[in-house]
């Protein structure tokens, strides 16, 4: 059974940093496509970052240079380091995983989310 559990969210002032974690069970993070998504109040869900099984990374333009996706295979954990946070980064952040070969942004498994609030 696949389970993804996010943690590390919280409230921070603009310019601050947070690191989100996603503890994965039932999947092998080193052979799955893993990603982070977010959803702001009243808006649709958007992809923030993605890492393929080959560790190729993709970022949304809005977070390039500020966010870094990484993983620890031994701990079966995915991370999202967020620097220089802006109020528009506020939202619920979700971890996602998919076992298909191509990491094309479609994900079968989702966590419950962790809230990030950035104040100005």
């Amino acid at each position: 059974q696949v389970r993804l559990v996010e943690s590390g969210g919280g409230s921070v002032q603009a310019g601050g940093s947070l690191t989100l974690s996603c503890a994965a069970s039932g999947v092998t993070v080193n052979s799955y496509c893993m990603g982070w998504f977010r959803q702001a109040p009243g808006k649709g869900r958007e992809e923030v970052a993605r890492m393929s099984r080959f560790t190729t990374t993709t970022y949304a333009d809005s977070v390039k240079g500020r966010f870094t996706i990484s993983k620890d295979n031994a701990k079966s954990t995915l991370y999202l380091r967020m620097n220089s946070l802006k109020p528009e980064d506020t939202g619920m952040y979700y971890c996602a995983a998919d076992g298909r070969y191509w990491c094309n942004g479609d994900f079968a498994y989702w966590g419950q989310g962790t809230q990030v609030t950035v104040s100005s």
Side-chain angles (χ1 to χ4, degrees):
Q1 183 178 358
V2 176
R3 188 166 185 236
L4 304 174
V5 180
E6 303 94 336
S7 62
S11 296
V12 64
Q13 288 191 326
S17 299
L18 283 173
T19 298
L20 306 184
S21 300
C22 172
S25 58
V27 302
T28 48
V29 296
N30 64 331
S31 61
Y32 269 59
C33 177
M34 304 293 297
W36 287 99
F37 287 72
R38 68 185 179 190
Q39 186 166 19
K43 294 187 177 181
R45 187 170 59 193
E46 65 168 336
E47 182 178 288
V48 174
R50 165 183 359 139
M51 178 178 280
S52 76
R53 63 176 62 201
F54 306 110
T55 68
T56 301
T57 56
T58 304
Y59 295 93
D61 288 342
S62 58
V63 307
K64 281 181 182 176
R66 301 188 297 122
F67 290 13
T68 303
I69 187 171
S70 63
K71 62 184 178 181
D72 185 327
N73 294 331
K75 294 183 178 180
S76 196
T77 300
L78 181 74
Y79 302 98
L80 184 69
R81 175 65 178 178
M82 306 185 293
N83 295 326
S84 303
L85 283 161
K86 304 175 181 180
E88 51 264 42
D89 294 319
T90 294
M92 186 69 78
Y93 282 69
Y94 299 91
C95 172
D98 195 273
R100 286 171 287 189
Y101 186 81
W102 297 112
C103 193
N104 60 4
D106 293 328
F107 290 88
Y109 306 106
W110 295 85
Q112 294 300 305
T114 185
Q115 177 68 36
V116 172
T117 302
V118 184
S119 58
S120 57

